[in-house]
Every structure is written in C-alpha cells, then in structure tokens.
Amino acid sequence: AGLGQLAKLDALTSLELTENWGITGSGLSELKRAPLTHLNLAMCDLTDAGFLHVTKFSGLTSLDICGCRNISEAGLCEMARLNELASLN
C-alpha cells in the first residue's frame, strides 16, 4: 500500500504529510505520476537521498520542508530543478 495508492488519484494536486516520520524517498518515488503542485513535508525525517525524489515533481509551485533537519545544503541545491517553485518554507 503506502503512498503508491495515492498516485492513483489523478486529480491529486496538494499533499500534506507533516510530521510523518515514515516518509522515505522510495515512497515519494511512487507518487511520481501525481500532478502535485503543493507538497508539505514539514518535520519529516527526509534525507538528501529521499529529497532527490521530491525534485522530480516538476510541477511543484509550493514546497514546505520546514524542520527537515537531515536535508543538507547539497540536497537543497537540487531544488534548482523545480522551475515552477514559487513558495518555499
């Protein structure tokens, strides 16, 4: 099950996963077909490797990674791939 089940929701544009310590990069990769424009991962235990999957959501306009202490400066540099990003927390 997991996040892959959410990918079946063709109209899913906004996803709030705040304080969800079980979120992983592989779980996020299952959402790659979802047309997400807003993703909230605040206070999740995401690493640089997991964050790379977030950068593949090319349609993101809003991203919240507040409190994600395991994302380094190198991981944050990968956000340059998110050309549509207008809001970052």
Side-chain angles (χ1 to χ4, degrees), residues 37-73:
T37 58
H38 170 80
L39 181 58
N40 188 337
L41 295 169
M43 305 300 291
C44 289
D45 197 25
L46 203 58
T47 63
D48 284 348
F51 189 64
L52 283 176
H53 294 283
V54 173
T55 65
K56 295 181 180 165
F57 297 118
S58 60
L60 279 184
T61 60
S62 175
L63 176 62
D64 190 341
I65 53 171
C66 179
C68 293
R69 295 177 282 151
N70 293 323
I71 301 174
S72 71
E73 186 175 335

Side-chain angles (χ1 to χ4, degrees), residues 11 13 16 21 26 28 30 37 46 49 64 70 78-79 89:
T13 60
E16 301 279 336
W21 301 107
S26 62
L28 289 170
E30 294 181 35
T37 58
L46 203 58
D64 190 341
N70 293 323
E78 296 297 325
M79 277 192 299
N89 186 20

